[in-house]
Amino acid sequence: MTIWSVRIAEGNQMDPIEVTVKFDTRGAIKPQRFIWRDQEYPVLSTGRTWVDEDGHHILVMVPGHQVYELVLASAELRWYLKEPQPGSPSI
């Protein structure tokens, strides 16, 4: 299996991840859990979402009050994880 990573405009690297999602009746993406570096993280809540040239971004909170940024790269339909940098938007 080949693992790919991408660099986004600011130069931060994003890691490929597996994400389990649900879609609500309006078609909104609702992440349920993700696997990153062989560890599964259940999503407790979601926060801000936005779309830019990198794809569809969703801030999620996991146990321990850790916040992660999930990115669906629309052009390739692949998910990536980007850890928010200090000063990044919060949930």
PDB file of all heavy atoms in Angstrom, residues 31-62:
ATOM      1  N   PRO A  31     -18.578  13.773  10.273  1.00  0.00           N
ATOM      2  CA  PRO A  31     -17.571  12.758  10.610  1.00  0.00           C
ATOM      3  C   PRO A  31     -17.932  12.050  11.917  1.00  0.00           C
ATOM      4  O   PRO A  31     -18.359  12.683  12.878  1.00  0.00           O
ATOM      5  CB  PRO A  31     -16.283  13.566  10.769  1.00  0.00           C
ATOM      6  CG  PRO A  31     -16.522  14.843  10.030  1.00  0.00           C
ATOM      7  CD  PRO A  31     -17.986  15.113  10.193  1.00  0.00           C
ATOM      8  N   GLN A  32     -17.759  10.724  11.939  1.00  0.00           N
ATOM      9  CA  GLN A  32     -18.048   9.908  13.114  1.00  0.00           C
ATOM     10  C   GLN A  32     -16.769   9.454  13.807  1.00  0.00           C
ATOM     11  O   GLN A  32     -16.716   9.371  15.021  1.00  0.00           O
ATOM     12  CB  GLN A  32     -18.871   8.678  12.721  1.00  0.00           C
ATOM     13  CG  GLN A  32     -20.169   9.020  12.007  1.00  0.00           C
ATOM     14  CD  GLN A  32     -21.098   9.817  12.894  1.00  0.00           C
ATOM     15  OE1 GLN A  32     -21.540   9.322  13.927  1.00  0.00           O
ATOM     16  NE2 GLN A  32     -21.390  11.054  12.507  1.00  0.00           N
ATOM     17  N   ARG A  33     -15.764   9.125  13.014  1.00  0.00           N
ATOM     18  CA  ARG A  33     -14.466   8.673  13.548  1.00  0.00           C
ATOM     19  C   ARG A  33     -13.450   8.740  12.409  1.00  0.00           C
ATOM     20  O   ARG A  33     -13.811   8.773  11.238  1.00  0.00           O
ATOM     21  CB  ARG A  33     -14.558   7.266  14.104  1.00  0.00           C
ATOM     22  CG  ARG A  33     -14.860   6.184  13.096  1.00  0.00           C
ATOM     23  CD  ARG A  33     -15.108   4.812  13.698  1.00  0.00           C
ATOM     24  NE  ARG A  33     -16.099   4.804  14.749  1.00  0.00           N
ATOM     25  CZ  ARG A  33     -17.415   4.745  14.579  1.00  0.00           C
ATOM     26  NH1 ARG A  33     -17.903   4.668  13.360  1.00  0.00           N
ATOM     27  NH2 ARG A  33     -18.236   4.745  15.596  1.00  0.00           N
ATOM     28  N   PHE A  34     -12.168   8.744  12.808  1.00  0.00           N
ATOM     29  CA  PHE A  34     -11.113   8.692  11.803  1.00  0.00           C
ATOM     30  C   PHE A  34      -9.953   7.864  12.335  1.00  0.00           C
ATOM     31  O   PHE A  34      -9.796   7.694  13.549  1.00  0.00           O
ATOM     32  CB  PHE A  34     -10.651  10.091  11.348  1.00  0.00           C
ATOM     33  CG  PHE A  34     -10.062  10.959  12.427  1.00  0.00           C
ATOM     34  CD1 PHE A  34      -8.699  10.974  12.648  1.00  0.00           C
ATOM     35  CD2 PHE A  34     -10.872  11.774  13.209  1.00  0.00           C
ATOM     36  CE1 PHE A  34      -8.145  11.790  13.631  1.00  0.00           C
ATOM     37  CE2 PHE A  34     -10.329  12.594  14.193  1.00  0.00           C
ATOM     38  CZ  PHE A  34      -8.962  12.604  14.402  1.00  0.00           C
ATOM     39  N   ILE A  35      -9.166   7.323  11.413  1.00  0.00           N
ATOM     40  CA  ILE A  35      -7.989   6.546  11.763  1.00  0.00           C
ATOM     41  C   ILE A  35      -6.773   7.316  11.262  1.00  0.00           C
ATOM     42  O   ILE A  35      -6.679   7.658  10.081  1.00  0.00           O
ATOM     43  CB  ILE A  35      -8.023   5.134  11.145  1.00  0.00           C
ATOM     44  CG1 ILE A  35      -9.231   4.368  11.694  1.00  0.00           C
ATOM     45  CG2 ILE A  35      -6.715   4.389  11.432  1.00  0.00           C
ATOM     46  CD1 ILE A  35      -9.466   3.033  11.017  1.00  0.00           C
ATOM     47  N   TRP A  36      -5.858   7.579  12.205  1.00  0.00           N
ATOM     48  CA  TRP A  36      -4.638   8.313  11.892  1.00  0.00           C
ATOM     49  C   TRP A  36      -3.482   7.612  12.587  1.00  0.00           C
ATOM     50  O   TRP A  36      -3.521   7.380  13.793  1.00  0.00           O
ATOM     51  CB  TRP A  36      -4.772   9.758  12.372  1.00  0.00           C
ATOM     52  CG  TRP A  36      -3.582  10.623  12.145  1.00  0.00           C
ATOM     53  CD1 TRP A  36      -2.841  10.748  11.010  1.00  0.00           C
ATOM     54  CD2 TRP A  36      -2.998  11.517  13.099  1.00  0.00           C
ATOM     55  NE1 TRP A  36      -1.835  11.676  11.189  1.00  0.00           N
ATOM     56  CE2 TRP A  36      -1.915  12.158  12.468  1.00  0.00           C
ATOM     57  CE3 TRP A  36      -3.291  11.841  14.412  1.00  0.00           C
ATOM     58  CZ2 TRP A  36      -1.115  13.091  13.114  1.00  0.00           C
ATOM     59  CZ3 TRP A  36      -2.495  12.781  15.055  1.00  0.00           C
ATOM     60  CH2 TRP A  36      -1.419  13.399  14.405  1.00  0.00           C
ATOM     61  N   ARG A  37      -2.480   7.261  11.821  1.00  0.00           N
ATOM     62  CA  ARG A  37      -1.288   6.583  12.346  1.00  0.00           C
ATOM     63  C   ARG A  37      -1.675   5.349  13.162  1.00  0.00           C
ATOM     64  O   ARG A  37      -1.227   5.159  14.286  1.00  0.00           O
ATOM     65  CB  ARG A  37      -0.429   7.543  13.152  1.00  0.00           C
ATOM     66  CG  ARG A  37       0.100   8.683  12.304  1.00  0.00           C
ATOM     67  CD  ARG A  37       0.985   9.605  13.095  1.00  0.00           C
ATOM     68  NE  ARG A  37       1.457  10.673  12.222  1.00  0.00           N
ATOM     69  CZ  ARG A  37       2.039  11.774  12.660  1.00  0.00           C
ATOM     70  NH1 ARG A  37       2.219  11.963  13.952  1.00  0.00           N
ATOM     71  NH2 ARG A  37       2.444  12.690  11.827  1.00  0.00           N
ATOM     72  N   ASP A  38      -2.561   4.539  12.588  1.00  0.00           N
ATOM     73  CA  ASP A  38      -3.009   3.265  13.169  1.00  0.00           C
ATOM     74  C   ASP A  38      -3.790   3.410  14.473  1.00  0.00           C
ATOM     75  O   ASP A  38      -3.942   2.444  15.208  1.00  0.00           O
ATOM     76  CB  ASP A  38      -1.834   2.309  13.382  1.00  0.00           C
ATOM     77  CG  ASP A  38      -1.158   1.929  12.075  1.00  0.00           C
ATOM     78  OD1 ASP A  38      -1.877   1.755  11.072  1.00  0.00           O
ATOM     79  OD2 ASP A  38       0.077   1.824  12.061  1.00  0.00           O
ATOM     80  N   GLN A  39      -4.304   4.585  14.774  1.00  0.00           N
ATOM     81  CA  GLN A  39      -5.127   4.776  15.970  1.00  0.00           C
ATOM     82  C   GLN A  39      -6.474   5.352  15.553  1.00  0.00           C
ATOM     83  O   GLN A  39      -6.546   6.256  14.729  1.00  0.00           O
ATOM     84  CB  GLN A  39      -4.449   5.721  16.961  1.00  0.00           C
ATOM     85  CG  GLN A  39      -5.242   5.883  18.237  1.00  0.00           C
ATOM     86  CD  GLN A  39      -4.490   6.670  19.290  1.00  0.00           C
ATOM     87  OE1 GLN A  39      -3.280   6.855  19.219  1.00  0.00           O
ATOM     88  NE2 GLN A  39      -5.215   7.133  20.285  1.00  0.00           N
ATOM     89  N   GLU A  40      -7.550   4.805  16.144  1.00  0.00           N
ATOM     90  CA  GLU A  40      -8.896   5.292  15.845  1.00  0.00           C
ATOM     91  C   GLU A  40      -9.294   6.385  16.830  1.00  0.00           C
ATOM     92  O   GLU A  40      -9.094   6.256  18.036  1.00  0.00           O
ATOM     93  CB  GLU A  40      -9.902   4.150  15.915  1.00  0.00           C
ATOM     94  CG  GLU A  40     -11.289   4.578  15.497  1.00  0.00           C
ATOM     95  CD  GLU A  40     -12.246   3.414  15.388  1.00  0.00           C
ATOM     96  OE1 GLU A  40     -11.868   2.380  14.801  1.00  0.00           O
ATOM     97  OE2 GLU A  40     -13.361   3.541  15.914  1.00  0.00           O
ATOM     98  N   TYR A  41      -9.867   7.461  16.299  1.00  0.00           N
ATOM     99  CA  TYR A  41     -10.323   8.595  17.097  1.00  0.00           C
ATOM    100  C   TYR A  41     -11.821   8.791  16.881  1.00  0.00           C
ATOM    101  O   TYR A  41     -12.239   9.116  15.769  1.00  0.00           O
ATOM    102  CB  TYR A  41      -9.607   9.881  16.666  1.00  0.00           C
ATOM    103  CG  TYR A  41      -8.125   9.874  16.916  1.00  0.00           C
ATOM    104  CD1 TYR A  41      -7.249   9.287  16.008  1.00  0.00           C
ATOM    105  CD2 TYR A  41      -7.595  10.461  18.054  1.00  0.00           C
ATOM    106  CE1 TYR A  41      -5.881   9.281  16.232  1.00  0.00           C
ATOM    107  CE2 TYR A  41      -6.225  10.472  18.286  1.00  0.00           C
ATOM    108  CZ  TYR A  41      -5.385   9.874  17.369  1.00  0.00           C
ATOM    109  OH  TYR A  41      -4.029   9.869  17.598  1.00  0.00           O
ATOM    110  N   PRO A  42     -12.642   8.608  17.928  1.00  0.00           N
ATOM    111  CA  PRO A  42     -14.073   8.912  17.780  1.00  0.00           C
ATOM    112  C   PRO A  42     -14.267  10.436  17.796  1.00  0.00           C
ATOM    113  O   PRO A  42     -13.601  11.147  18.553  1.00  0.00           O
ATOM    114  CB  PRO A  42     -14.706   8.265  19.007  1.00  0.00           C
ATOM    115  CG  PRO A  42     -13.609   8.193  20.012  1.00  0.00           C
ATOM    116  CD  PRO A  42     -12.326   8.065  19.238  1.00  0.00           C
ATOM    117  N   VAL A  43     -15.156  10.922  16.955  1.00  0.00           N
ATOM    118  CA  VAL A  43     -15.441  12.352  16.901  1.00  0.00           C
ATOM    119  C   VAL A  43     -16.569  12.657  17.874  1.00  0.00           C
ATOM    120  O   VAL A  43     -17.665  12.107  17.764  1.00  0.00           O
ATOM    121  CB  VAL A  43     -15.818  12.782  15.464  1.00  0.00           C
ATOM    122  CG1 VAL A  43     -16.266  14.239  15.428  1.00  0.00           C
ATOM    123  CG2 VAL A  43     -14.640  12.558  14.519  1.00  0.00           C
ATOM    124  N   LEU A  44     -16.296  13.521  18.861  1.00  0.00           N
ATOM    125  CA  LEU A  44     -17.292  13.909  19.850  1.00  0.00           C
ATOM    126  C   LEU A  44     -18.164  15.057  19.359  1.00  0.00           C
ATOM    127  O   LEU A  44     -19.352  15.122  19.661  1.00  0.00           O
ATOM    128  CB  LEU A  44     -16.620  14.296  21.163  1.00  0.00           C
ATOM    129  CG  LEU A  44     -15.770  13.212  21.827  1.00  0.00           C
ATOM    130  CD1 LEU A  44     -15.121  13.762  23.088  1.00  0.00           C
ATOM    131  CD2 LEU A  44     -16.619  11.987  22.129  1.00  0.00           C
ATOM    132  N   SER A  45     -17.551  16.002  18.631  1.00  0.00           N
ATOM    133  CA  SER A  45     -18.304  17.140  18.102  1.00  0.00           C
ATOM    134  C   SER A  45     -17.572  17.725  16.904  1.00  0.00           C
ATOM    135  O   SER A  45     -16.380  17.495  16.714  1.00  0.00           O
ATOM    136  CB  SER A  45     -18.515  18.208  19.178  1.00  0.00           C
ATOM    137  OG  SER A  45     -17.276  18.738  19.590  1.00  0.00           O
ATOM    138  N   THR A  46     -18.328  18.468  16.125  1.00  0.00           N
ATOM    139  CA  THR A  46     -17.744  19.162  14.978  1.00  0.00           C
ATOM    140  C   THR A  46     -17.941  20.652  15.168  1.00  0.00           C
ATOM    141  O   THR A  46     -18.845  21.107  15.865  1.00  0.00           O
ATOM    142  CB  THR A  46     -18.386  18.723  13.647  1.00  0.00           C
ATOM    143  OG1 THR A  46     -19.779  18.988  13.694  1.00  0.00           O
ATOM    144  CG2 THR A  46     -18.145  17.252  13.379  1.00  0.00           C
ATOM    145  N   GLY A  47     -17.060  21.413  14.547  1.00  0.00           N
ATOM    146  CA  GLY A  47     -17.119  22.863  14.652  1.00  0.00           C
ATOM    147  C   GLY A  47     -17.186  23.500  13.284  1.00  0.00           C
ATOM    148  O   GLY A  47     -17.927  23.053  12.412  1.00  0.00           O
ATOM    149  N   ARG A  48     -16.354  24.512  13.103  1.00  0.00           N
ATOM    150  CA  ARG A  48     -16.345  25.263  11.844  1.00  0.00           C
ATOM    151  C   ARG A  48     -16.091  24.373  10.649  1.00  0.00           C
ATOM    152  O   ARG A  48     -15.346  23.402  10.739  1.00  0.00           O
ATOM    153  CB  ARG A  48     -15.232  26.312  11.879  1.00  0.00           C
ATOM    154  CG  ARG A  48     -15.553  27.535  12.645  1.00  0.00           C
ATOM    155  CD  ARG A  48     -14.460  28.571  12.493  1.00  0.00           C
ATOM    156  NE  ARG A  48     -13.703  28.356  11.259  1.00  0.00           N
ATOM    157  CZ  ARG A  48     -13.138  29.305  10.541  1.00  0.00           C
ATOM    158  NH1 ARG A  48     -13.213  30.544  10.929  1.00  0.00           N
ATOM    159  NH2 ARG A  48     -12.466  29.035   9.459  1.00  0.00           N
ATOM    160  N   THR A  49     -16.684  24.740   9.534  1.00  0.00           N
ATOM    161  CA  THR A  49     -16.395  24.107   8.250  1.00  0.00           C
ATOM    162  C   THR A  49     -16.186  25.226   7.230  1.00  0.00           C
ATOM    163  O   THR A  49     -16.768  26.306   7.354  1.00  0.00           O
ATOM    164  CB  THR A  49     -17.538  23.187   7.771  1.00  0.00           C
ATOM    165  OG1 THR A  49     -18.698  23.964   7.522  1.00  0.00           O
ATOM    166  CG2 THR A  49     -17.850  22.108   8.793  1.00  0.00           C
ATOM    167  N   TRP A  50     -15.326  24.976   6.266  1.00  0.00           N
ATOM    168  CA  TRP A  50     -15.099  25.930   5.194  1.00  0.00           C
ATOM    169  C   TRP A  50     -14.515  25.203   3.999  1.00  0.00           C
ATOM    170  O   TRP A  50     -14.035  24.085   4.102  1.00  0.00           O
ATOM    171  CB  TRP A  50     -14.213  27.088   5.641  1.00  0.00           C
ATOM    172  CG  TRP A  50     -12.786  26.748   5.949  1.00  0.00           C
ATOM    173  CD1 TRP A  50     -11.701  26.870   5.122  1.00  0.00           C
ATOM    174  CD2 TRP A  50     -12.278  26.221   7.186  1.00  0.00           C
ATOM    175  NE1 TRP A  50     -10.549  26.457   5.769  1.00  0.00           N
ATOM    176  CE2 TRP A  50     -10.891  26.054   7.036  1.00  0.00           C
ATOM    177  CE3 TRP A  50     -12.857  25.866   8.403  1.00  0.00           C
ATOM    178  CZ2 TRP A  50     -10.073  25.553   8.051  1.00  0.00           C
ATOM    179  CZ3 TRP A  50     -12.042  25.370   9.406  1.00  0.00           C
ATOM    180  CH2 TRP A  50     -10.677  25.230   9.231  1.00  0.00           C
ATOM    181  N   VAL A  51     -14.586  25.855   2.861  1.00  0.00           N
ATOM    182  CA  VAL A  51     -14.064  25.289   1.619  1.00  0.00           C
ATOM    183  C   VAL A  51     -13.063  26.274   1.045  1.00  0.00           C
ATOM    184  O   VAL A  51     -13.305  27.482   1.012  1.00  0.00           O
ATOM    185  CB  VAL A  51     -15.204  25.038   0.608  1.00  0.00           C
ATOM    186  CG1 VAL A  51     -14.655  24.504  -0.709  1.00  0.00           C
ATOM    187  CG2 VAL A  51     -16.234  24.075   1.180  1.00  0.00           C
ATOM    188  N   ASP A  52     -11.910  25.750   0.615  1.00  0.00           N
ATOM    189  CA  ASP A  52     -10.919  26.561  -0.078  1.00  0.00           C
ATOM    190  C   ASP A  52     -10.282  25.711  -1.172  1.00  0.00           C
ATOM    191  O   ASP A  52     -10.792  24.631  -1.492  1.00  0.00           O
ATOM    192  CB  ASP A  52      -9.889  27.157   0.890  1.00  0.00           C
ATOM    193  CG  ASP A  52      -9.014  26.132   1.584  1.00  0.00           C
ATOM    194  OD1 ASP A  52      -8.997  24.943   1.162  1.00  0.00           O
ATOM    195  OD2 ASP A  52      -8.321  26.503   2.550  1.00  0.00           O
ATOM    196  N   GLU A  53      -9.159  26.173  -1.709  1.00  0.00           N
ATOM    197  CA  GLU A  53      -8.527  25.447  -2.827  1.00  0.00           C
ATOM    198  C   GLU A  53      -8.032  24.058  -2.429  1.00  0.00           C
ATOM    199  O   GLU A  53      -7.833  23.201  -3.288  1.00  0.00           O
ATOM    200  CB  GLU A  53      -7.373  26.265  -3.428  1.00  0.00           C
ATOM    201  CG  GLU A  53      -6.207  26.504  -2.504  1.00  0.00           C
ATOM    202  CD  GLU A  53      -6.382  27.710  -1.581  1.00  0.00           C
ATOM    203  OE1 GLU A  53      -7.401  28.413  -1.672  1.00  0.00           O
ATOM    204  OE2 GLU A  53      -5.481  27.928  -0.748  1.00  0.00           O
ATOM    205  N   ASP A  54      -7.836  23.797  -1.126  1.00  0.00           N
ATOM    206  CA  ASP A  54      -7.382  22.476  -0.672  1.00  0.00           C
ATOM    207  C   ASP A  54      -8.526  21.492  -0.538  1.00  0.00           C
ATOM    208  O   ASP A  54      -8.313  20.290  -0.549  1.00  0.00           O
ATOM    209  CB  ASP A  54      -6.658  22.584   0.671  1.00  0.00           C
ATOM    210  CG  ASP A  54      -5.398  23.428   0.574  1.00  0.00           C
ATOM    211  OD1 ASP A  54      -4.669  23.291  -0.432  1.00  0.00           O
ATOM    212  OD2 ASP A  54      -5.157  24.231   1.483  1.00  0.00           O
ATOM    213  N   GLY A  55      -9.749  21.991  -0.342  1.00  0.00           N
ATOM    214  CA  GLY A  55     -10.897  21.107  -0.198  1.00  0.00           C
ATOM    215  C   GLY A  55     -11.859  21.590   0.860  1.00  0.00           C
ATOM    216  O   GLY A  55     -11.890  22.765   1.225  1.00  0.00           O
ATOM    217  N   HIS A  56     -12.633  20.643   1.400  1.00  0.00           N
ATOM    218  CA  HIS A  56     -13.647  20.912   2.418  1.00  0.00           C
ATOM    219  C   HIS A  56     -13.031  20.632   3.791  1.00  0.00           C
ATOM    220  O   HIS A  56     -12.677  19.497   4.085  1.00  0.00           O
ATOM    221  CB  HIS A  56     -14.855  20.001   2.159  1.00  0.00           C
ATOM    222  CG  HIS A  56     -16.018  20.289   3.028  1.00  0.00           C
ATOM    223  ND1 HIS A  56     -17.074  21.041   2.598  1.00  0.00           N
ATOM    224  CD2 HIS A  56     -16.293  19.938   4.307  1.00  0.00           C
ATOM    225  CE1 HIS A  56     -17.949  21.137   3.573  1.00  0.00           C
ATOM    226  NE2 HIS A  56     -17.493  20.472   4.625  1.00  0.00           N
ATOM    227  N   HIS A  57     -12.909  21.656   4.633  1.00  0.00           N
ATOM    228  CA  HIS A  57     -12.272  21.549   5.947  1.00  0.00           C
ATOM    229  C   HIS A  57     -13.346  21.422   7.030  1.00  0.00           C
ATOM    230  O   HIS A  57     -14.350  22.137   6.989  1.00  0.00           O
ATOM    231  CB  HIS A  57     -11.442  22.795   6.255  1.00  0.00           C
ATOM    232  CG  HIS A  57     -10.345  23.034   5.272  1.00  0.00           C
ATOM    233  ND1 HIS A  57      -9.014  22.880   5.606  1.00  0.00           N
ATOM    234  CD2 HIS A  57     -10.365  23.421   3.981  1.00  0.00           C
ATOM    235  CE1 HIS A  57      -8.265  23.170   4.549  1.00  0.00           C
ATOM    236  NE2 HIS A  57      -9.067  23.503   3.551  1.00  0.00           N
ATOM    237  N   ILE A  58     -13.094  20.540   8.017  1.00  0.00           N
ATOM    238  CA  ILE A  58     -13.997  20.377   9.146  1.00  0.00           C
ATOM    239  C   ILE A  58     -13.156  20.270  10.418  1.00  0.00           C
ATOM    240  O   ILE A  58     -12.277  19.415  10.508  1.00  0.00           O
ATOM    241  CB  ILE A  58     -14.858  19.098   9.013  1.00  0.00           C
ATOM    242  CG1 ILE A  58     -15.624  19.089   7.694  1.00  0.00           C
ATOM    243  CG2 ILE A  58     -15.804  18.965  10.207  1.00  0.00           C
ATOM    244  CD1 ILE A  58     -16.336  17.774   7.411  1.00  0.00           C
ATOM    245  N   LEU A  59     -13.420  21.140  11.399  1.00  0.00           N
ATOM    246  CA  LEU A  59     -12.765  21.021  12.695  1.00  0.00           C
ATOM    247  C   LEU A  59     -13.557  20.025  13.537  1.00  0.00           C
ATOM    248  O   LEU A  59     -14.785  20.109  13.610  1.00  0.00           O
ATOM    249  CB  LEU A  59     -12.714  22.367  13.412  1.00  0.00           C
ATOM    250  CG  LEU A  59     -11.837  23.443  12.766  1.00  0.00           C
ATOM    251  CD1 LEU A  59     -11.867  24.711  13.612  1.00  0.00           C
ATOM    252  CD2 LEU A  59     -10.414  22.959  12.577  1.00  0.00           C
ATOM    253  N   VAL A  60     -12.850  19.078  14.162  1.00  0.00           N
ATOM    254  CA  VAL A  60     -13.496  18.063  14.998  1.00  0.00           C
ATOM    255  C   VAL A  60     -12.810  17.998  16.357  1.00  0.00           C
ATOM    256  O   VAL A  60     -11.620  18.276  16.472  1.00  0.00           O
ATOM    257  CB  VAL A  60     -13.489  16.662  14.335  1.00  0.00           C
ATOM    258  CG1 VAL A  60     -14.240  16.682  13.010  1.00  0.00           C
ATOM    259  CG2 VAL A  60     -12.080  16.148  14.146  1.00  0.00           C
ATOM    260  N   MET A  61     -13.601  17.621  17.381  1.00  0.00           N
ATOM    261  CA  MET A  61     -13.043  17.412  18.712  1.00  0.00           C
ATOM    262  C   MET A  61     -13.141  15.931  19.045  1.00  0.00           C
ATOM    263  O   MET A  61     -14.165  15.290  18.794  1.00  0.00           O
ATOM    264  CB  MET A  61     -13.777  18.222  19.770  1.00  0.00           C
ATOM    265  CG  MET A  61     -13.149  18.067  21.161  1.00  0.00           C
ATOM    266  SD  MET A  61     -13.953  19.077  22.418  1.00  0.00           S
ATOM    267  CE  MET A  61     -13.398  20.690  21.915  1.00  0.00           C
ATOM    268  N   VAL A  62     -12.048  15.397  19.615  1.00  0.00           N
ATOM    269  CA  VAL A  62     -11.980  13.991  20.022  1.00  0.00           C
ATOM    270  C   VAL A  62     -11.794  13.952  21.541  1.00  0.00           C
ATOM    271  O   VAL A  62     -11.581  14.987  22.169  1.00  0.00           O
ATOM    272  CB  VAL A  62     -10.834  13.257  19.276  1.00  0.00           C
ATOM    273  CG1 VAL A  62     -11.026  13.332  17.761  1.00  0.00           C
ATOM    274  CG2 VAL A  62      -9.477  13.798  19.668  1.00  0.00           C
TER     275      VAL A  62
END
